[in-house]
């Protein structure tokens, strides 16, 4: 969600998170556990589970870790996690959405509030910024080594059921209805496309430029939120200056 493509930002965040890989695995394990509890352990009949397994594979999560999380979800384990969304504004008035999966709402709420307030942000009430984002399915196919032009790619995307496509130097970014993400993913894989990612995401309707003097503070806030064990995803409607990247 900067001046570059969304895929450029996804790559940047993943590179920055390499040192936090153990924490990322822990978060994905929770998501796997919840998906199995909700829809069973078979990814062929549980689209949400398959999406999270794809996410685990993209993060290079060991297969043993994935199996443990799925087995735990299939067991009589009674651990309970709630999905919670927090809303607010970062430095420069940028809308921020925080999705969390937590077994202690009070702990998570307090931690998220501190991340906002100590870094120039403010927490908002429910619904204060959520309306500024659209929930979409996002599929990315990297262009490196792919011998296909944009017209043919768009034709295949529309035939697979995709809604829209954006092209950058690095990748084709394909957007879908959230409920159609799994079907579009499967249709593109059936055409032998290798997908870099397939995920549900929140796309901001409008982008707010982040002032250069606020950029470092904004990045600290995002980093603090993403470091939280209970936070699964952070979305923001801001554009950082070209010489910085969150």
């Amino acid at each position: 969600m900067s001046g570059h493509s969304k895929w450029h930002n996804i790559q940047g965040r993943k590179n920055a998170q390499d040192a936090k890989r153990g924490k990322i695995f822990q978060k994905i394990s929770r998501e796997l556990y919840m998906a199995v509890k909700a829809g069973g352990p078979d990814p062929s009949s549980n689209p949400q589970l398959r999406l999270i397994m794809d996410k685990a594979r993209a993060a290079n999560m060991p297969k043993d870790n994935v199996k443990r999380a799925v087995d735990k979800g299939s067991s009589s384990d009674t651990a309970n996690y709630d999905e919670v969304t927090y809303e607010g504004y970062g430095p420069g008035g940028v809308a921020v959405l925080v999705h969390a999966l937590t077994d202690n709402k009070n702990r998570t709420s307090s931690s998220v509030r501190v991340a906002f307030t100590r870094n120039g942000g403010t927490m908002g009430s429910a619904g204060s910024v959520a309306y500024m984002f659209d929930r979409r399915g996002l599929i990315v196919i990297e262009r490196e080594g792919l011998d296909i032009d944009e017209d043919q790619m768009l034709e295949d995307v529309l035939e697979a059921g995709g809604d829209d496509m954006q092209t950058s130097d690095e990748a084709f970014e394909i957007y879908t209805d959230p409920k159609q993400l799994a079907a579009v993913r499967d249709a593109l894989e059936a055409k032998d496309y290798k997908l870099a990612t397939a995920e549900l995401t929140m796309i901001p309707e409008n982008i707010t430029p982040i002032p250069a003097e606020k950029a470092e503070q904004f990045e600290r806030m995002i980093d603090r939120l993403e470091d939280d064990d209970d936070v699964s995803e952070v979305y923001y409607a801001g554009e950082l200056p070209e010489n910085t990247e969150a």
Side-chain angles (χ1 to χ4, degrees), residues 9-57:
N9 284 277
I10 291 172
Q11 288 177 310
R13 298 307 302 177
K14 285 181 177 177
N15 291 339
Q17 289 170 347
D18 279 347
K20 310 171 188 176
R21 196 158 298 280
K23 185 168 288 189
I24 293 170
F25 293 164
Q26 178 185 352
K27 293 182 180 186
I28 294 175
S29 291
R30 288 189 186 184
E31 295 179 44
L32 288 166
Y33 173 88
M34 289 294 289
V36 172
K37 284 293 186 187
D42 183 0
S44 65
S45 59
N46 185 344
Q48 180 62 19
L49 176 59
R50 187 174 168 194
L51 283 174
I52 299 170
M53 283 182 162
D54 289 345
K55 181 178 180 180
R57 185 167 57 250

Side-chain angles (χ1 to χ4, degrees), residues 63-193:
K63 291 181 180 179
D64 286 348
N65 294 41
V66 174
K67 185 177 185 302
R68 279 197 299 272
V70 171
D71 288 347
K72 184 177 180 182
S74 303
S75 72
S76 58
D77 185 276
T78 57
N80 185 49
Y81 296 102
D82 294 310
E83 294 183 68
V84 189
T85 297
Y86 301 96
E87 306 177 39
Y89 293 91
V94 176
V96 179
L97 273 181
V98 181
H99 289 175
L101 199 58
T102 179
D103 58 356
N104 186 323
K105 291 182 181 179
N106 289 335
R107 176 192 67 222
T108 308
S109 177
S110 175
S111 180
V112 169
R113 185 176 299 278
V114 167
F116 272 94
T117 58
R118 290 189 181 175
N119 293 285
T122 56
M123 288 280 284
S125 58
S128 59
V129 304
Y131 72 94
M132 301 180 189
F133 295 80
D134 293 323
R135 189 162 180 78
R136 304 291 300 278
L138 171 67
I139 295 170
V140 175
I141 298 175
E142 293 181 319
R143 300 187 69 180
E144 185 177 359
L146 187 64
D147 185 20
I148 188 172
D149 62 31
E150 185 173 352
D151 290 340
Q152 182 60 54
M153 187 74 240
L154 180 58
E155 182 179 330
D156 287 348
V157 165
L158 295 176
E159 186 177 303
D163 293 337
D164 190 20
M165 184 181 81
Q166 294 181 8
T167 304
S168 67
D169 291 339
E170 301 104 336
F172 296 111
E173 300 172 24
I174 299 149
Y175 295 90
T176 78
D177 180 285
K179 294 179 181 179
Q180 296 302 312
L181 173 59
V184 176
R185 174 201 61 202
D186 292 348
L188 290 171
E189 286 183 334
K191 292 178 179 290
D192 294 326
Y193 285 114

